[in-house]
Amino acid sequence: RRTWSSRGQFGRAESSMQRLFGTSKPKAPPPTLNDVIASAEGRAESVDKKIAKLDAELKKYKDQMAKMRDGPQKNMVKQKALRVLKQKKTYEQQLGNLQQQSFNMEQANYAAQSIKDTQLTVSAMKTSIKTMKKDFKQINISQVEDLQDDMSDLLEQHDEIQDILSRDYNAPEVDDADLEAEFDSLGDMALDDGFLDEALAPPSGVPSAPAAAATPAQPAAATAVDEFGLPQVPAS
């Protein structure tokens, strides 16, 4: 009983301390390069806006001085313009430093990302090689060669079957030389029958000349013959 009582008292005291001082918060993760780059770019943007504001102020002072005569009043405006110009130079230096820091961190981030990409590539290549080795173990090269030979034999048999099916039935056997001689003679016959007619025929589209009017034949004069049936010679 005393043990449980002491534990209960300790627990109540601990809860009282937590209510009084609060509990410790979990630690936040460390910032990444992307977070730092975003922060630097935000600061650079803020400085750039300040420089633009100072430029507008310098333009205002310059316009005022252009309308003023030389004197104390103009010198006072000039001093203000010089102070603004000094601030601008300071901000421009800060902006240059921030931009350079951001550029350096971007290069470091690019290098880190490239290393991660390289690790992923190497890991993927290792996995692919393991898979390829496992798959190749299931392939027998001798079986592949046998399949190729079987396919070649089947194709040859197919060609033989097609040749058999395409044979002519009851066709007379004719020598190739006889066929060529007959073919040549057919060409000569076609040349004899049609070549001269085509050469002498008038070209198409040209009208043929009109036929000459036929002259009536003159009747032949009667010739006297002698007793032997020969033409008589006229007396001189």
Side-chain angles (χ1 to χ4, degrees), residues 19-177:
R19 287 196 302 270
L20 181 61
F21 296 101
T23 58
S24 60
K25 297 181 179 179
K27 293 183 179 180
T32 61
L33 280 175
N34 290 327
D35 298 334
V36 179
I37 292 172
S39 176
E41 289 178 350
R43 292 167 58 193
E45 185 177 356
S46 176
V47 173
D48 194 15
K49 290 180 180 179
K50 292 180 180 180
I51 293 174
K53 184 177 180 181
L54 292 176
D55 284 335
E57 192 172 354
L58 282 173
K59 186 177 183 302
K60 182 182 69 173
Y61 289 148
K62 187 176 181 181
D63 294 340
Q64 288 181 0
M65 291 177 63
K67 299 177 182 179
M68 296 174 65
R69 297 180 180 179
D70 294 338
Q73 193 71 19
K74 186 175 182 179
N75 291 333
M76 186 181 299
V77 175
K78 184 178 180 180
Q79 292 300 322
K80 292 181 180 179
L82 291 177
R83 286 196 298 270
V84 172
L85 182 60
K86 185 177 181 180
Q87 293 178 7
K88 178 186 175 183
K89 293 295 183 182
T90 303
Y91 283 134
E92 286 178 347
Q93 185 177 1
Q94 293 178 2
L95 179 61
N97 293 335
L98 289 171
Q99 290 176 344
Q100 185 63 40
Q101 292 176 10
S102 178
F103 176 76
N104 294 336
M105 287 184 290
E106 285 179 353
Q107 294 299 313
N109 188 26
Y110 175 78
Q113 189 63 39
S114 297
I115 293 174
K116 291 181 180 180
D117 294 340
T118 303
Q119 292 176 350
L120 292 175
T121 303
V122 173
S123 177
M125 290 176 65
K126 290 181 179 178
T127 303
S128 299
I129 290 174
K130 289 181 180 179
T131 304
M132 291 175 65
K133 288 181 178 180
K134 182 179 179 181
D135 294 339
F136 271 115
K137 289 180 180 179
Q138 300 177 1
I139 299 175
N140 191 343
I141 298 179
S142 299
Q143 292 180 356
V144 175
E145 291 179 351
D146 294 339
L147 289 173
Q148 187 69 18
D149 293 338
D150 293 340
M151 180 63 70
S152 179
D153 294 338
L154 290 174
L155 291 176
E156 289 180 0
Q157 294 178 9
H158 175 268
D159 293 338
E160 291 179 359
I161 293 172
Q162 295 300 320
D163 291 338
I164 293 172
L165 294 176
S166 60
R167 291 177 182 174
D168 294 333
Y169 294 101
N170 297 326
E173 294 183 1
V174 182
D175 189 15
D176 293 338

Side-chain angles (χ1 to χ4, degrees), residues 219-225:
T223 304
V225 295

